[in-house]
mmCIF file of all heavy atoms in Angstrom:
data_model
loop_
_atom_site.group_PDB
_atom_site.id
_atom_site.type_symbol
_atom_site.label_atom_id
_atom_site.label_comp_id
_atom_site.label_asym_id
_atom_site.label_seq_id
_atom_site.Cartn_x
_atom_site.Cartn_y
_atom_site.Cartn_z
ATOM 1 N N GLU A 1 6.138 18.917 -10.881
ATOM 2 C CA GLU A 1 5.287 19.066 -12.047
ATOM 3 C C GLU A 1 3.824 19.261 -11.627
ATOM 4 O O GLU A 1 3.285 18.513 -10.835
ATOM 5 C CB GLU A 1 5.387 17.835 -12.954
ATOM 6 C CG GLU A 1 6.756 17.653 -13.603
ATOM 7 C CD GLU A 1 7.784 16.993 -12.697
ATOM 8 O OE1 GLU A 1 7.386 16.541 -11.580
ATOM 9 O OE2 GLU A 1 8.969 16.938 -13.066
ATOM 10 N N GLY A 2 3.200 20.266 -12.190
ATOM 11 C CA GLY A 2 1.814 20.550 -11.877
ATOM 12 C C GLY A 2 1.619 21.344 -10.603
ATOM 13 O O GLY A 2 0.495 21.753 -10.288
ATOM 14 N N LEU A 3 2.675 21.578 -9.855
ATOM 15 C CA LEU A 3 2.579 22.294 -8.590
ATOM 16 C C LEU A 3 3.283 23.640 -8.634
ATOM 17 O O LEU A 3 2.758 24.652 -8.151
ATOM 18 C CB LEU A 3 3.165 21.433 -7.470
ATOM 19 C CG LEU A 3 3.096 21.986 -6.050
ATOM 20 C CD1 LEU A 3 1.640 22.170 -5.627
ATOM 21 C CD2 LEU A 3 3.805 21.049 -5.078
ATOM 22 N N VAL A 4 4.476 23.661 -9.226
ATOM 23 C CA VAL A 4 5.296 24.873 -9.185
ATOM 24 C C VAL A 4 4.672 26.002 -9.997
ATOM 25 O O VAL A 4 4.676 27.164 -9.569
ATOM 26 C CB VAL A 4 6.728 24.564 -9.656
ATOM 27 C CG1 VAL A 4 7.526 25.854 -9.826
ATOM 28 C CG2 VAL A 4 7.427 23.652 -8.653
ATOM 29 N N ALA A 5 4.116 25.706 -11.168
ATOM 30 C CA ALA A 5 3.567 26.770 -12.015
ATOM 31 C C ALA A 5 2.443 27.542 -11.318
ATOM 32 O O ALA A 5 2.480 28.782 -11.280
ATOM 33 C CB ALA A 5 3.096 26.195 -13.351
ATOM 34 N N PRO A 6 1.419 26.880 -10.745
ATOM 35 C CA PRO A 6 0.398 27.655 -10.034
ATOM 36 C C PRO A 6 0.914 28.311 -8.760
ATOM 37 O O PRO A 6 0.424 29.374 -8.363
ATOM 38 C CB PRO A 6 -0.693 26.626 -9.729
ATOM 39 C CG PRO A 6 -0.036 25.294 -9.851
ATOM 40 C CD PRO A 6 1.044 25.466 -10.868
ATOM 41 N N LEU A 7 1.911 27.714 -8.131
ATOM 42 C CA LEU A 7 2.501 28.336 -6.949
ATOM 43 C C LEU A 7 3.201 29.645 -7.338
ATOM 44 O O LEU A 7 3.044 30.678 -6.676
ATOM 45 C CB LEU A 7 3.482 27.350 -6.292
ATOM 46 C CG LEU A 7 3.904 27.627 -4.856
ATOM 47 C CD1 LEU A 7 4.375 26.331 -4.207
ATOM 48 C CD2 LEU A 7 5.028 28.639 -4.778
ATOM 49 N N ARG A 8 3.951 29.593 -8.442
ATOM 50 C CA ARG A 8 4.603 30.811 -8.948
ATOM 51 C C ARG A 8 3.569 31.867 -9.311
ATOM 52 O O ARG A 8 3.727 33.045 -8.985
ATOM 53 C CB ARG A 8 5.436 30.483 -10.187
ATOM 54 C CG ARG A 8 6.728 29.744 -9.925
ATOM 55 C CD ARG A 8 7.386 29.364 -11.258
ATOM 56 N NE ARG A 8 7.619 30.554 -12.055
ATOM 57 C CZ ARG A 8 8.745 31.268 -12.035
ATOM 58 N NH1 ARG A 8 9.736 30.879 -11.273
ATOM 59 N NH2 ARG A 8 8.880 32.333 -12.788
ATOM 60 N N ALA A 9 2.504 31.456 -9.997
ATOM 61 C CA ALA A 9 1.470 32.403 -10.408
ATOM 62 C C ALA A 9 0.834 33.091 -9.206
ATOM 63 O O ALA A 9 0.453 34.265 -9.276
ATOM 64 C CB ALA A 9 0.406 31.684 -11.229
ATOM 65 N N ALA A 10 0.717 32.361 -8.101
ATOM 66 C CA ALA A 10 0.131 32.936 -6.891
ATOM 67 C C ALA A 10 1.072 33.905 -6.198
ATOM 68 O O ALA A 10 0.616 34.849 -5.525
ATOM 69 C CB ALA A 10 -0.273 31.822 -5.925
ATOM 70 N N LEU A 11 2.380 33.721 -6.333
ATOM 71 C CA LEU A 11 3.348 34.518 -5.587
ATOM 72 C C LEU A 11 4.009 35.631 -6.393
ATOM 73 O O LEU A 11 4.478 36.610 -5.810
ATOM 74 C CB LEU A 11 4.437 33.604 -5.010
ATOM 75 C CG LEU A 11 3.997 32.794 -3.800
ATOM 76 C CD1 LEU A 11 5.000 31.690 -3.497
ATOM 77 C CD2 LEU A 11 3.828 33.703 -2.579
ATOM 78 N N GLU A 12 4.081 35.500 -7.703
ATOM 79 C CA GLU A 12 4.796 36.507 -8.493
ATOM 80 C C GLU A 12 4.202 37.915 -8.361
ATOM 81 O O GLU A 12 4.963 38.890 -8.336
ATOM 82 C CB GLU A 12 4.870 36.069 -9.949
ATOM 83 C CG GLU A 12 5.945 34.993 -10.161
ATOM 84 C CD GLU A 12 6.012 34.478 -11.584
ATOM 85 O OE1 GLU A 12 5.006 34.610 -12.315
ATOM 86 O OE2 GLU A 12 7.075 33.943 -11.946
ATOM 87 N N PRO A 13 2.874 38.084 -8.256
ATOM 88 C CA PRO A 13 2.360 39.446 -8.024
ATOM 89 C C PRO A 13 2.878 40.061 -6.725
ATOM 90 O O PRO A 13 3.207 41.253 -6.681
ATOM 91 C CB PRO A 13 0.845 39.250 -7.985
ATOM 92 C CG PRO A 13 0.601 38.036 -8.801
ATOM 93 C CD PRO A 13 1.767 37.129 -8.510
ATOM 94 N N ALA A 14 2.965 39.267 -5.667
ATOM 95 C CA ALA A 14 3.485 39.780 -4.399
ATOM 96 C C ALA A 14 4.957 40.136 -4.513
ATOM 97 O O ALA A 14 5.412 41.144 -3.940
ATOM 98 C CB ALA A 14 3.274 38.748 -3.295
ATOM 99 N N VAL A 15 5.712 39.338 -5.266
ATOM 100 C CA VAL A 15 7.124 39.657 -5.478
ATOM 101 C C VAL A 15 7.249 40.948 -6.276
ATOM 102 O O VAL A 15 8.076 41.826 -5.960
ATOM 103 C CB VAL A 15 7.833 38.488 -6.195
ATOM 104 C CG1 VAL A 15 9.262 38.878 -6.568
ATOM 105 C CG2 VAL A 15 7.843 37.248 -5.302
ATOM 106 N N ALA A 16 6.428 41.105 -7.315
ATOM 107 C CA ALA A 16 6.465 42.319 -8.133
ATOM 108 C C ALA A 16 6.097 43.555 -7.313
ATOM 109 O O ALA A 16 6.644 44.642 -7.534
ATOM 110 C CB ALA A 16 5.522 42.169 -9.320
ATOM 111 N N GLN A 17 5.173 43.398 -6.373
ATOM 112 C CA GLN A 17 4.748 44.520 -5.532
ATOM 113 C C GLN A 17 5.650 44.711 -4.314
ATOM 114 O O GLN A 17 5.411 45.598 -3.494
ATOM 115 C CB GLN A 17 3.310 44.286 -5.074
ATOM 116 C CG GLN A 17 2.296 44.291 -6.206
ATOM 117 C CD GLN A 17 0.951 43.716 -5.800
ATOM 118 O OE1 GLN A 17 0.673 43.541 -4.614
ATOM 119 N NE2 GLN A 17 0.114 43.399 -6.782
ATOM 120 N N GLU A 18 6.662 43.846 -4.205
ATOM 121 C CA GLU A 18 7.661 43.908 -3.132
ATOM 122 C C GLU A 18 7.060 43.698 -1.746
ATOM 123 O O GLU A 18 7.594 44.164 -0.752
ATOM 124 C CB GLU A 18 8.436 45.225 -3.200
ATOM 125 C CG GLU A 18 9.206 45.399 -4.507
ATOM 126 C CD GLU A 18 10.051 46.663 -4.539
ATOM 127 O OE1 GLU A 18 9.899 47.514 -3.632
ATOM 128 O OE2 GLU A 18 10.866 46.796 -5.470
ATOM 129 N N THR A 19 5.930 42.969 -1.691
ATOM 130 C CA THR A 19 5.427 42.540 -0.388
ATOM 131 C C THR A 19 5.979 41.176 -0.006
ATOM 132 O O THR A 19 5.786 40.711 1.120
ATOM 133 C CB THR A 19 3.888 42.481 -0.398
ATOM 134 O OG1 THR A 19 3.451 41.589 -1.430
ATOM 135 C CG2 THR A 19 3.302 43.869 -0.649
ATOM 136 N N CYS A 20 6.649 40.525 -0.963
ATOM 137 C CA CYS A 20 7.344 39.264 -0.742
ATOM 138 C C CYS A 20 8.660 39.338 -1.513
ATOM 139 O O CYS A 20 8.655 39.762 -2.681
ATOM 140 C CB CYS A 20 6.502 38.092 -1.238
ATOM 141 S SG CYS A 20 7.294 36.450 -1.112
ATOM 142 N N PRO A 21 9.779 38.986 -0.918
ATOM 143 C CA PRO A 21 11.044 39.054 -1.647
ATOM 144 C C PRO A 21 11.154 37.939 -2.683
ATOM 145 O O PRO A 21 10.497 36.898 -2.572
ATOM 146 C CB PRO A 21 12.087 38.860 -0.545
ATOM 147 C CG PRO A 21 11.394 38.029 0.477
ATOM 148 C CD PRO A 21 9.959 38.488 0.460
ATOM 149 N N ALA A 22 11.965 38.170 -3.711
ATOM 150 C CA ALA A 22 12.311 37.081 -4.625
ATOM 151 C C ALA A 22 12.992 35.976 -3.822
ATOM 152 O O ALA A 22 13.685 36.240 -2.834
ATOM 153 C CB ALA A 22 13.233 37.591 -5.713
ATOM 154 N N PHE A 23 12.791 34.727 -4.239
ATOM 155 C CA PHE A 23 13.384 33.616 -3.501
ATOM 156 C C PHE A 23 13.645 32.453 -4.437
ATOM 157 O O PHE A 23 13.069 32.365 -5.527
ATOM 158 C CB PHE A 23 12.476 33.176 -2.342
ATOM 159 C CG PHE A 23 11.146 32.613 -2.765
ATOM 160 C CD1 PHE A 23 10.955 31.243 -2.927
ATOM 161 C CD2 PHE A 23 10.067 33.453 -3.011
ATOM 162 C CE1 PHE A 23 9.735 30.720 -3.318
ATOM 163 C CE2 PHE A 23 8.829 32.941 -3.394
ATOM 164 C CZ PHE A 23 8.661 31.577 -3.548
ATOM 165 N N LEU A 24 14.520 31.561 -4.006
ATOM 166 C CA LEU A 24 14.781 30.335 -4.742
ATOM 167 C C LEU A 24 13.908 29.238 -4.167
ATOM 168 O O LEU A 24 13.922 28.980 -2.959
ATOM 169 C CB LEU A 24 16.251 29.942 -4.648
ATOM 170 C CG LEU A 24 16.665 28.768 -5.548
ATOM 171 C CD1 LEU A 24 16.638 29.182 -7.014
ATOM 172 C CD2 LEU A 24 18.048 28.239 -5.166
ATOM 173 N N LEU A 25 13.150 28.594 -5.039
ATOM 174 C CA LEU A 25 12.300 27.466 -4.665
ATOM 175 C C LEU A 25 13.008 26.187 -5.100
ATOM 176 O O LEU A 25 13.446 26.080 -6.244
ATOM 177 C CB LEU A 25 10.945 27.587 -5.361
ATOM 178 C CG LEU A 25 9.898 26.519 -5.056
ATOM 179 C CD1 LEU A 25 9.445 26.598 -3.611
ATOM 180 C CD2 LEU A 25 8.703 26.674 -6.001
#
C-alpha cells in the first residue's frame, strides 16, 4: 500500500513503449 501505485506509474510508460516488458509484481 502506498508503494505499488507510484511504482506502476513510473514503469507503465516504459512498458507501453516496449523498452520494458510487462511483468508480474
Side-chain angles (χ1 to χ4, degrees):
E1 294 81 7
L3 183 62
V4 171
L7 197 157
R8 286 175 58 92
L11 285 167
E12 283 177 338
V15 173
Q17 295 165 14
E18 299 184 350
T19 58
C20 177
F23 64 94
L24 188 70
L25 182 66

